[in-house]
Amino acid sequence: MVRRLLYLNGIAILFVIFFHAVGWGFTAMFPWTPRYLPVSAPVYDQVGSLSYYYLRLVEQIVVVAIPAFLFVSGYFMAFSAGRRDNVTWKQVWGRVKMLLFPYIFWTLLMWAAKLAQGDIFPLTGYAVMFFTGRTTPAYYYVPLLIQYYLLSPFIIPFARNRWVSLLIITGIIQFSLQLSQMLVLLNGMQGVPDFVRWLAVVPKWFFLARLFWFVLGMVVGFHIKEFKQFLARFKWVFLVTAVVCIPLGVLEWEAIIRFSGQDWLEHRETILDSIYSLAFIFAFFAFTNVALPLNKQVSDLGVKSFGIYLAHIPAMEFTARGIYLLIPALLGVQLLFQPIMVVFGLGIPLLMMAVVNRSPARRYYSYIFG
Amino acid sequence: MDREAILLDYVKNELLRGRANNITAEDDLLGAGLIDSLGILQIVAFIDERFNIQVPDEDVVYENFNSVKALSDYLAQ
């Protein structure tokens, strides 16, 4: 099972790339329509098209990416504690340091790119961007993970000894947040009680938002024997649940859009998505006798996942903006636009990593890519 | 080259990419933050490929992997 963690990390980073390719796909499909259609303002008449449902289906399948990353990270905090009572603060700092340096590097790079475009922010703006990861829509993951590492010494005793209560509590927190967000989507901010409004606006960089996944990985790490027995008993249940949740998730989001009265809504993780993610992760580890396709290649991506995660954002943004400027007709052909985004989103970071790894800067590799 | 030397060489060149050439087999790699969780998984895969030893999940614990010497001692058991 442990070796499969690397593969899961590889799948997760591939899914992240697909997820952001879909994000750019929707940008091309809606706000950028005037660039390739004879319209003066964005139109939403591609909602319901084959391309639209293709993007939604992919988005639905890959929603497990961040839960999978957090699960693997939680598992290894349990590993770091070993048979001792807890991890040491030195270990925690070692982890944080490995995230922090590459995060600073790429954040500064993105700020430089914004500056080159004339975007200047007040000092507080930079501070907020740094501590919340808002420099790009994806960098929130780094401050989030750092919070989990810093909280680990406090969580570990519970994950080891009172793991059922811990999973129930963190599960209820996640359920409440997602339920509140759905209620706000359906009824608007004014149509829900105050406490629901507060829960709904908990940002995704804040530790409560996805604590369950990290804790789950940690609990599994401490109780691996029991976990394996549990998986063996219900493996078909997990597989069927994961498969069934995919079309249900697509339908659910369409229903939410209908009830909200909007033309289109950017997808947010729902309770059903969490059930899917849980079933996906469990099914993935339950069928250990099934050979994994492209094991070495996917595991290799898993090793490089943090570097790819940080570097794929500018790579995809420059690719999308390049297409917008130079070949706008491509924006309307998702069949071509999507593969281009995925190839560049993955290829450019891998190329950069290979170049640094073969250059005199090799010794600084981990400070750039983790 | 004995197993300990092979492992040390792998850690220095592949995992650390030459950024800590002076580490020894006794150094605490995890405690010092020199390698991370993914590094551990790479070592597990390397042991499988190089020595044809499959480390059971239950043995992938900090105590067996915190230094090259600890790992080498564990593999010798």
Side-chain angles (χ1 to χ4, degrees), chain A residues 38 52 72 140 212 270 312 329 354:
Chain A
Y52 171 83
V72 175
Y140 78 93
F212 174 77
T270 66
H312 87 281

Side-chain angles (χ1 to χ4, degrees), chain A residues 13 27 37 44 65 69 81 87 95 129 134 140 169 208 244 251 254 267 294 348 352:
Chain A
I13 192 61
T27 302
L37 288 178
Y44 289 86
F69 274 141
V87 287
R95 294 270 165 140
M129 280 196 284
R134 280 191 198 155
Y140 78 93
I169 291 167
L208 282 178
V244 169
L251 289 174
E254 289 310 301
H267 182 258
L294 301 171
I348 293 173
M352 286 193 283

Side-chain angles (χ1 to χ4, degrees), chain A residues 1 3 83 228 357 362, chain B residues 13 17 48 57 63:
Chain A
M1 182 192 142
R3 282 197 65 177
R83 296 185 183 114
K228 281 179 170 177
N357 201 31
R362 186 173 194 256
Chain B
N13 292 315
R17 293 184 169 85
D48 188 357
D57 292 345
E63 286 73 11

